Amino acid sequence: MRWQGKFGRKPTGGKLILARGKRKCEIGREQSDTTIAAVRVKKIETKGGNIKLRMLRGDMATIADSVTGKSKMVKIETVKENKANLHYMRRNILTKGAIIKTEMGDARITNRPGQDGVINAILLPAV
């Protein structure tokens, strides 16, 4: 289980001794690693009873074209580049900032699929 509370040492190097134990709200979860496949979305309850949609797999993206000002749902073919991690390109993992190859051309993902449950992208100008 992941814990996202404070631990370790102070900036001065001294040991940090907490005045309390761990809390349920400080529990973290595994990352989703959204891949290209048939759509699979998981609902997660967050603090305060809110719901977060975690996309585990997705094969369609909403692409916004800045020239025409229109959006269109397009099929994702592959991941061309992902600066978050060099191995993500090989594994076709979709994250914010990843460059994807689609039917319309290359596009850059502008949202976080593992947090939002959808894939939004902006069409890149043809080079």
Side-chain angles (χ1 to χ4, degrees):
M1 192 169 289
R2 299 180 89 115
W3 180 56
Q4 294 180 330
K6 274 189 161 186
F7 65 94
R9 299 194 171 267
K10 298 185 237 182
T12 58
K15 191 173 180 187
L16 187 67
I17 299 169
L18 294 179
R20 62 175 179 81
K22 298 178 182 181
R23 298 289 186 263
K24 186 175 189 282
C25 64
E26 295 169 349
I27 293 174
R29 293 185 177 94
E30 295 296 321
Q31 59 189 27
S32 63
D33 288 343
T34 307
T35 56
I36 300 171
V39 176
R40 181 179 288 179
V41 178
K42 184 178 182 180
K43 283 186 180 178
I44 292 174
E45 281 190 30
T46 62
K47 189 175 179 180
N50 295 319
I51 291 176
K52 192 181 278 190
L53 295 174
R54 178 158 291 175
M55 181 168 272
L56 304 175
R57 298 179 194 160
D59 59 352
M60 299 291 282
T62 305
I63 307 280
D65 189 355
S66 59
V67 176
T68 61
K70 295 185 179 182
S71 297
K72 188 177 178 183
M73 284 285 285
V74 180
K75 189 165 184 66
I76 300 170
E77 294 174 9
T78 185
V79 176
K80 286 188 76 174
E81 183 184 341
N82 196 331
K83 290 185 178 177
N85 190 327
L86 297 175
H87 300 295
Y88 284 1
M89 184 183 71
R90 203 177 318 154
R91 295 169 55 198
N92 278 335
I93 293 179
L94 303 168
T95 59
K96 182 176 179 176
I99 308 295
I100 54 175
K101 183 180 176 189
T102 65
E103 297 165 350
M104 287 176 68
D106 292 350
R108 188 177 75 247
I109 297 177
T110 58
N111 71 322
R112 299 167 71 186
Q115 303 273 338
D116 303 336
V118 294
I119 301 169
N120 298 324
I122 290 180
L123 194 64
L124 296 176
V127 183

